[in-house]
Amino acid sequence: MHDRIAQVKTMQLATVSGDQPWVCTVYFALHEGCFYWLSEPERRHSKEIADHAKVAAAIVLKQDVPVTGVQMQGMVMVVDDILEAETVLPLYIGKYGQGGKFVERLKLGANKHVLYKLAPNKIMLFDEDASPDNPYRQITL
């Protein structure tokens, strides 16, 4: 399942401010069960994460009927550890062809973007193809 999820290009990320939810789409890289993306701190979802680190996310694995997807919940943190960024960014760069100067700029304290990490505490798979009678089950990556 890890490889199948890692190949998907986008993830829908749900944040909240007060009593108002928000959903956005981010490009992501998957590493050791965590989801990483680059975003500007001024974006709405980034501001909401700064105030409230609990999020939900969804990834569509198969769009035609029956739909297959992953939903999750967890905590987001900003990655400022150089070694972690050096480990994760090659995955992101290889997948999207962007973010190549992030680590260098992180070392200089000159990034426009921030590296975020979602550490899920619950991941659910919905898959009617594999299990039509019980399509919703918890998984680990």
Side-chain angles (χ1 to χ4, degrees):
M1 184 57 57
H2 177 278
D3 291 342
R4 190 170 172 198
I5 292 170
Q7 291 175 4
V8 175
K9 296 273 188 177
T10 59
M11 171 174 72
Q12 285 63 53
L13 179 70
T15 58
V16 68
S17 178
D19 65 349
Q20 188 60 52
W22 183 251
V23 175
C24 68
T25 302
V26 296
Y27 296 112
F28 72 94
L30 177 58
H31 178 67
E32 294 185 350
C34 293
F35 297 79
Y36 295 82
W37 68 92
L38 294 172
S39 191
E40 296 179 21
E42 298 81 25
R43 304 277 185 193
R44 178 175 173 171
H45 61 276
S46 299
K47 288 179 181 179
E48 291 179 358
I49 287 167
D51 292 336
H52 187 78
K54 291 181 181 178
V55 302
I59 298 170
V60 177
L61 299 174
K62 182 174 147 290
Q63 295 182 5
D64 56 329
V65 178
V67 172
T68 302
V70 175
Q71 297 85 40
M72 68 193 89
Q73 65 185 35
M75 300 289 288
V76 174
M77 58 210 74
V78 171
V79 177
D80 54 12
D81 179 273
I82 301 289
L83 294 176
E84 186 173 6
E86 287 176 332
T87 300
V88 172
L89 262 295
L91 299 171
Y92 190 91
I93 295 163
K95 191 172 180 180
Y96 304 106
Q98 60 186 10
K101 302 229 182 231
F102 182 85
V103 174
E104 177 184 324
R105 290 182 183 148
L106 180 63
K107 291 176 182 177
L108 298 172
N111 271 330
K112 177 180 175 183
H113 291 81
V114 172
L115 179 60
Y116 292 93
K117 172 184 179 179
L118 166 56
N121 57 34
K122 186 174 191 177
I123 304 172
M124 300 297 292
L125 172 67
F126 182 84
D127 187 354
E128 288 181 318
D129 278 336
S131 184
D133 295 332
N134 189 19
Y136 205 54
R137 64 183 169 93
Q138 191 163 343
I139 62 169
T140 58
L141 300 178

